Amino acid sequence: MNPRVVLIGPMGAGKSTVASLLATAWGVAARDTDNDVEDAEGRTIAEIFVDSGEGYFRTREAAAVADALATHDGVLSLGGGAVLDPATRELLAGQTVVFLRVGLAEAVKRVGLGVGRPLLLGNVRSRVKALLDERTPIYESTATMVVDTDARTPDEVASEIVAALAREGRG
């Protein structure tokens, strides 16, 4: 069993929103691995980071992604840092993976002051820039398709994905 599509990208790219729209369009379920981790832990990601550290969270995240890839056939949205794990990138090989690309200014606008986003403590703009600089090449190398989200509504982004996958016979 494989997900219909896997969405990757940084915080603020709109992965959860677009996943929901795609799931509705295709009549399938949407699943978010960040929610899976929170549900399994009984606490928020911010609490996990504070109480147990980023390393612990990344281990739980990798397990949640592996489980979702093996058991979910709808639309799957991954947390922004999930693709940092080489084993996760290996599992994504052969999947339909869409990178929702967002620029720095738009990402900062969308995430606001980083409430509940533990990696954004401090100067939000500089942290978002550092994360984008670090992760964008990984997103690009992992994705089978890249969709720009700047100055576009989630509906426009979802429509582009639906149309592109239909053209490829995967929609």
Side-chain angles (χ1 to χ4, degrees), residues 1 7-9 18 31 33 48-49 54 68 84 94 100 108-109 119 137 142:
M1 177 182 306
L7 301 180
I8 62 171
V18 171
R31 184 167 169 181
T33 57
I48 296 168
F49 265 73
E54 183 178 0
L84 299 176
L100 300 184
V108 170
K109 262 193 288 190
L119 290 178
T142 304

Side-chain angles (χ1 to χ4, degrees), residues 49 53-63 79-82 84 119 135:
F49 265 73
E54 183 178 0
Y56 177 84
F57 169 73
R58 294 294 174 207
T59 300
R60 300 292 293 148
E61 178 180 53
L84 299 176
L119 290 178
R135 295 176 179 179

Side-chain angles (χ1 to χ4, degrees), residues 70-126:
T71 63
H72 183 68
D73 61 359
V75 179
L76 183 61
S77 173
L78 305 189
V83 297
L84 299 176
D85 181 62
T88 294
R89 291 196 303 273
E90 243 177 72
L91 291 174
L92 290 170
Q95 305 278 344
T96 301
V97 180
V98 178
F99 166 32
L100 300 184
R101 183 166 41 207
V102 62
L104 176 61
E106 191 76 18
V108 170
K109 262 193 288 190
R110 291 179 188 177
V111 300
L113 296 177
V115 175
R117 298 195 186 260
L119 290 178
L120 294 186
L121 297 176
N123 181 326
V124 173
R125 185 178 177 84
S126 69

Side-chain angles (χ1 to χ4, degrees), residues 5-10 13 96-103 136-150 152 157 160-161 164-165 167-168 170:
V5 67
V6 180
L7 301 180
I8 62 171
T96 301
V97 180
V98 178
F99 166 32
L100 300 184
R101 183 166 41 207
V102 62
T136 295
I138 298 169
Y139 294 136
E140 289 172 342
S141 67
T142 304
T144 55
M145 177 177 159
V146 178
V147 177
D148 288 304
T149 66
D150 284 4
R152 300 177 75 197
V157 172
E160 179 179 334
I161 294 167
L165 294 181
R167 281 192 304 273
E168 295 175 10
R170 292 189 273 170

